[in-house]
């Protein structure tokens, strides 16, 4: 297992037992991301056009930060006619971009909701979308089909801090010797960056703490361990931070995600917590105008299925 870091991961100083609450009229109101535990993926439940736009923005920011779609250590091993899947493919923008790199490959997008992707007639001829929930049994015709699988940002999908049920399904999709690349957020090492350390950022600091949610998503930095336990070989992990020129854009994308999260809370019947999130987003944006940004490093974990 190889770990490369930029910057080196240094856990932020949160209490490992903390749970974020604020006081409402009837007592404490939980306001962190643990509010949605057990409800699955709650983003994009309304205003789907905004959710799809956020996904597309997110793709271009990630590509600018990573400088690749397919990890370079995998890219050189894939044949031109590779069979590739993106699981949790969202708007399909990653597949469309990869189709330009691999015009002779077969590219499949698998998602529980494929309505955010372009109509099939507007997709490149080698890209197809298919409905599949990542927690469902792998269809027989997909078992052992793929040379390479890409997935990204399942942080709100993984249940009980345990990605292994998902990894087992992804392993079934791969051919012997096939590769998996899982891109994720590192919430342990997120921070508020400032051009001036004296700038006060209470809203951004609160948003960071709520997003950390008492360590709910700390499992992401342990992805290499989970990969290895499920039988993947040659496991590697990279940590990629925010460059100054992208910090503001990433901050605004995080605020868009927080707004979608608040909309999801409204749908779940939690209006008071949702209202606090909406207000926090407005305050955090105002703070960002003074040269501050919520920065959440990215993780890229790769592994190969045994031959």
């Amino acid at each position: 297992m190889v770990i490369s870091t930029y910057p080196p991961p240094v856990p932020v100083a949160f209490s490992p037992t903390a749970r974020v609450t604020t006081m409402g009229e009837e007592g404490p109101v939980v306001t962190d991301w643990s509010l949605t535990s057990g409800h699955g993926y709650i983003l994009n439940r309304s205003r789907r056009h905004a959710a799809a736009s956020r996904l597309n923005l997110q793709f271009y920011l990630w590509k600018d930060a990573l400088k690749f779609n397919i990890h370079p250590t995998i890219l050189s091993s894939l044949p031109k006619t590779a069979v590739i899947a993106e699981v949790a493919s969202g708007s399909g923008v990653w597949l469309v971009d990869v189709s330009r790199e691999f015009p002779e490959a077969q590219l499949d997008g698998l998602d529980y909701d494929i309505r955010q992707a372009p109509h099939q007639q507007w997709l490149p001829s080698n890209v197809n979308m298919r409905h599949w929930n990542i927690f469902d049994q792998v269809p027989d015709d997909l078992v052992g089909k793929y040379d390479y699988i890409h997935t990204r940002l399942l942080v709100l999908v993984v249940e009980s801090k345990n990605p292994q049920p998902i990894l087992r399904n992804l392993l079934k999709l791969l051919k012997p010797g096939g590769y998996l690349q899982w891109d994720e957020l590192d919430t342990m090492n997120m921070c508020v960056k400032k051009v001036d350390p004296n700038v006060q950022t209470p809203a951004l600091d609160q948003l960071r703490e709520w997003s950390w949610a008492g360590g709910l998503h700390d499992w992401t930095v342990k992805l290499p361990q989970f990969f290895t336990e499920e039988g993947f070989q040659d496991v590697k992990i990279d940590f990629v931070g925010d460059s100054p020129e992208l910090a503001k854009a990433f901050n605004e994308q995080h605020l868009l995600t927080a707004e979608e999260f608040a909309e999801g809370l409204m749908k779940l019947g939690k209006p008071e917590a949702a209202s606090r999130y909406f207000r926090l987003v407005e305050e955090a944006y105002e703070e960002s105008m003074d040269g501050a940004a919520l920065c959440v490093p990215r993780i890229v974990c790769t592994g190969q299925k045994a031959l």
Side-chain angles (χ1 to χ4, degrees):
M1 181 172 67
V2 177
I3 299 177
S4 59
T5 60
Y6 176 73
V10 179
V12 294
F14 289 132
S15 165
T17 59
R19 189 172 188 186
V20 184
T21 61
T22 55
M23 292 302 296
E25 294 179 359
E26 299 180 359
V29 178
V30 177
T31 49
D32 64 34
W33 285 63
S34 65
L35 275 169
T36 61
S37 295
H39 292 284
Y41 185 75
I42 73 156
L43 301 185
N44 78 29
R45 290 194 172 191
S46 60
R47 300 202 321 133
R48 289 190 177 92
H49 62 287
S53 296
R54 191 260 308 165
L55 288 174
N56 290 332
L57 168 64
Q58 183 173 271
F59 163 77
Y60 288 109
L61 288 174
W62 273 71
K63 186 177 181 184
D64 201 333
L66 298 181
K67 309 303 181 188
F68 59 79
N69 287 318
I70 300 174
H71 196 284
T73 60
I74 297 174
L75 185 64
S76 59
S77 301
L78 292 179
K80 293 181 179 179
T81 56
V83 184
I84 294 171
E86 185 180 37
V87 176
S89 52
S91 67
V93 63
W94 184 92
L95 291 162
V96 170
D97 205 46
V98 170
S99 73
R100 302 183 182 109
E101 299 178 64
F102 283 84
E104 299 175 54
Q106 175 184 339
L107 297 126
D108 293 342
L110 307 175
D111 204 310
Y112 83 104
D113 182 1
I114 60 175
R115 290 173 295 176
Q116 290 182 316
H119 190 282
Q120 186 63 48
Q121 293 186 15
W122 287 355
L123 288 169
S125 60
N126 62 335
V127 175
N128 293 284
M129 308 300 295
R130 176 167 173 172
H131 178 273
W132 180 61
N133 187 314
I134 200 168
F135 291 106
D136 290 347
Q137 183 175 341
V138 176
D140 290 343
D141 65 312
L142 297 184
V143 173
K145 178 178 179 178
Y146 296 104
D147 296 294
Y148 165 77
I149 291 172
H150 175 259
T151 194
R152 176 176 289 171
L153 293 175
L154 301 182
V155 67
L156 295 182
V157 176
V158 168
E159 299 175 350
S160 304
K161 305 182 183 180
N162 181 15
Q164 287 176 296
I166 292 175
L167 280 169
R168 290 180 194 126
N169 270 352
L170 297 178
L171 190 66
K172 291 177 184 176
L173 291 168
L174 286 170
K175 295 177 180 178
Y179 297 92
L180 172 63
Q181 176 182 325
W182 186 330
D183 306 337
E184 202 48 87
L185 294 175
D186 172 11
T187 59
M188 283 187 68
N189 296 294
M190 63 182 163
C191 64
V192 176
K193 288 187 177 180
K194 308 174 186 181
V195 296
D196 180 351
N198 295 316
V199 171
Q200 298 300 303
T201 56
L204 284 167
D205 292 338
Q206 184 73 79
L207 188 60
R208 179 193 66 168
E209 192 170 350
W210 286 1
S211 300
W212 183 66
L216 183 64
H217 309 305
D218 288 357
W219 60 266
T220 62
V221 299
K222 301 175 184 177
L223 271 173
Q225 175 184 331
F226 291 118
F227 270 54
T228 301
E229 289 175 358
E230 292 305 318
F232 284 93
Q233 301 177 348
D234 195 24
V235 177
K236 301 179 179 69
I237 187 168
D238 296 288
F239 294 81
V240 182
D242 285 350
S243 58
E245 64 271 17
L246 292 180
K248 185 176 186 294
F250 267 115
N251 181 75
E252 289 162 354
Q253 183 250 301
H254 296 322
L255 296 182
L256 288 173
T257 303
E259 282 188 331
E260 283 185 58
F261 182 78
E263 291 174 2
L265 293 178
M266 292 290 289
K267 294 286 187 179
L268 294 176
K270 302 178 187 292
E272 186 172 353
S275 177
R276 292 176 188 276
Y277 255 96
F278 282 126
R279 185 167 62 250
L280 190 72
V281 167
E282 292 297 324
E283 293 170 357
Y285 181 73
E286 289 300 320
E287 292 174 0
S288 73
M289 295 296 97
D290 293 324
L294 177 65
C295 296
V296 189
R298 281 149 296 284
I299 291 169
V300 179
C301 190
T302 60
Q304 185 177 21
K305 184 176 181 177
L307 291 169

